[in-house]
Amino acid sequence: MNTKSEEDYLKCLYHLQEGKSAVSTNEIAKYLSMKASSVSDMLKKLADKNLVNYLRYKGSTLTKKGELIALNIIRKHRLWETFLVEKLGISWSKVHFIAEQLEHVNSEELIEKLDYFLGHPDIDPHGDPIPKKNGTIATLNQKLLSELNVEEKGIITGVKKGTPSLLNYLDKQNIKLGNSIHLISKIEFDHSLEVKINNKKITLSEKICNNLLIEVSYG
Amino acid sequence: MNTKSEEDYLKCLYHLQEGKSAVSTNEIAKYLSMKASSVSDMLKKLADKNLVNYLRYKGSTLTKKGELIALNIIRKHRLWETFLVEKLGISWSKVHFIAEQLEHVNSEELIEKLDYFLGHPDIDPHGDPIPKKNGTIATLNQKLLSELNVEEKGIITGVKKGTPSLLNYLDKQNIKLGNSIHLISKIEFDHSLEVKINNKKITLSEKICNNLLIEVSYG
DNA sequence: ATTAATTTTTAGACAAGGCTAAAAATTTTA
DNA sequence: TAAAATTTTTAGCCTTGTCTAAAAATTAAT
């Protein structure tokens, strides 16, 4: 088994390496709120364990083995978030912090039974796909709201980052995943957007639009 | 907040101090599979935090503050065990190990919502009372089966220690908490007991009888 | 293409929480 | 009640995972 700390690094690497060919030590340090020197040490350790490809001064990536572990932690995190929202009724703005702790609990039976109890969910409360036991993970077809063209329509299917203040704002506006959205016009001055959500007109700031993920409806 | 390690000591002290006026360093060491020297160190630390009354060479007890923390951890442990058995269908012989991890997850809202979700249970799957949020805990009126007199009747309400092999044996014999029991006779030679459980006759070894808790039916 | 700035690594320190070995206190035994 | 045995504590060491400061490598700028 790996320590909580090692698991945090692997998960971090998974999130940061998406798209990129390598992740810099500094990026990891920033993401985990640690010093680059600490990160450097840990990367060496993870490389020794064959979980990370680490080239001095050149950045790191997960090995296949490391990626599978990372995906398993993400699976646990997202299943727990689903449980906390769906079964316990905890706000989607608060579950991340709790799931950060629960994801390190080590019991395969627990996770498989939890998955069954939840009905094998594909998507967590923030719209992120839940990796399967074997490490496969769905890729969703979604765009940032800010990248939509005027008159395009779609469904709100996720948030880019589940910052509590964003989620609380969406709650207050009664905006939920699954709601339909229709881009009416772009305001040039401040890059805010006029949209219709569930047929109700509303203006969303640039920052909001940069964090809402939309599945565009074609045809 | 306290560390996982500190929490383990407090919980251990709670379990060991029952009845006694003080708990020796060695007892704690044995219970936690550690060396007495390590325990000595930690007791000093917990005494500094005002969680433990510690007198050099004279043993330790929990302070009121320490006891409340211990009870809270036990509350979490037993609520989680209830969840694992009742909702996820995990065997009562396996939940202790998992709950040992879950009990250290820190979120008051999580525990209160879990308690609500479970219907505010009073008793965990092994028959132990679940402390309330304020630290109160029920005292149950139960005796060891081995202490019953011939012809006494009652209900099986708990196990003294949830050792997996005991629990698996009970499963195999289809003996469950809540079953009625009637002591038919005592076998002098090996101290085993002939009993009727749910009106079916069965012989239970001395060791089993020393671990089954019975609520005796009077009148 | 050097120099300057930045990033990364190395070296050494520290706290937590274990351990072993030795010293001190207590308890048991004769 | 004095010696022996046991328990407990102290002292010092180790590992994990963090940090700071300094050195080394890379990248950017003039």
Side-chain angles (χ1 to χ4, degrees), chain B residues 71-93:
Chain B
L71 280 162
N72 191 248
I73 301 161
I74 291 167
R75 170 172 166 77
K76 292 195 276 180
H77 183 101
R78 293 181 180 170
L79 284 171
W80 278 118
E81 283 194 342
T82 305
F83 168 73
L84 296 172
V85 168
E86 306 260 305
K87 299 295 183 179
L88 298 194
I90 298 177
S91 163
W92 69 337
S93 68

Side-chain angles (χ1 to χ4, degrees), chain A residues 7-29:
Chain A
E7 290 187 351
D8 286 337
Y9 277 89
L10 295 176
K11 196 173 49 133
C12 161
L13 228 8
Y14 181 88
H15 290 308
L16 292 178
Q17 78 178 8
E18 190 187 326
K20 288 200 274 293
S21 66
V23 180
S24 78
T25 300
N26 255 357
E27 278 178 278
I28 298 170

Side-chain angles (χ1 to χ4, degrees), chain B residues 9-10 27 33 60 69 106 109 122 141 151 157 177 190:
Chain B
Y9 276 90
L10 296 176
E27 278 179 279
S33 305
S60 310
I69 295 173
N106 169 32
E109 180 175 10
D122 292 321
N141 199 339
E151 282 309 331
T157 52
L177 301 194
D190 63 359

Side-chain angles (χ1 to χ4, degrees), chain B residues 88-170:
Chain B
L88 298 194
I90 298 177
S91 163
W92 69 337
S93 68
K94 296 188 194 160
V95 295
H96 180 77
F97 164 77
I98 303 174
E100 287 283 304
Q101 302 178 65
L102 288 165
E103 73 189 3
H104 299 292
V105 170
N106 169 32
S107 163
E108 184 168 328
E109 180 175 10
L110 168 60
I111 290 307
E112 295 323 306
K113 295 263 167 85
L114 181 63
D115 183 43
Y116 175 82
F117 181 63
L118 297 171
H120 306 293
D122 292 321
I123 297 290
D124 81 6
H126 306 109
D128 295 312
I130 300 175
K132 295 300 170 193
K133 190 183 175 182
N134 64 9
T136 56
I137 182 167
T139 51
L140 305 182
N141 199 339
Q142 47 191 13
K143 278 177 154 180
L144 282 179
L145 173 52
S146 49
E147 294 165 347
L148 257 64
N149 299 314
V150 168
E151 282 309 331
E152 274 192 306
K153 293 178 182 181
I155 311 276
I156 304 172
T157 52
V159 290
K160 197 170 123 195
K161 209 166 159 290
T163 315
S165 54
L166 168 65
L167 302 179
N168 288 330
Y169 172 80
L170 297 177

Side-chain angles (χ1 to χ4, degrees), chain A residues 3 5 9 34-35 37-38 45 57:
Chain A
T3 65
S5 189
Y9 277 89
M34 292 201 294
K35 299 298 165 179
S37 54
S38 310
K45 192 171 147 194
Y57 293 101

Side-chain angles (χ1 to χ4, degrees), chain B residues 13-66:
Chain B
L13 229 6
Y14 181 88
H15 290 308
L16 292 178
Q17 79 178 6
E18 191 188 323
K20 287 199 274 291
S21 66
V23 181
S24 78
T25 301
N26 254 357
E27 278 179 279
I28 298 170
K30 194 164 293 175
Y31 191 94
L32 296 176
S33 305
M34 291 200 296
K35 299 298 165 179
S37 54
S38 310
V39 173
S40 225
D41 279 355
M42 182 58 97
L43 288 174
K44 248 174 288 169
K45 192 172 146 193
L46 293 171
D48 286 346
K49 285 189 162 197
N50 248 292
L51 302 175
V52 163
N53 301 118
Y54 168 62
L55 276 176
R56 280 165 81 257
Y57 292 101
K58 298 297 180 189
S60 310
T61 55
L62 290 173
T63 62
K64 194 68 204 162
K65 197 174 155 202

Side-chain angles (χ1 to χ4, degrees), chain A residues 53-72:
Chain A
N53 301 119
Y54 168 62
L55 276 177
R56 281 166 79 259
Y57 293 101
K58 297 297 181 188
S60 310
T61 55
L62 291 172
T63 61
K64 193 68 202 159
K65 196 174 156 201
E67 183 175 304
L68 279 173
I69 295 173
L71 280 163
N72 190 248

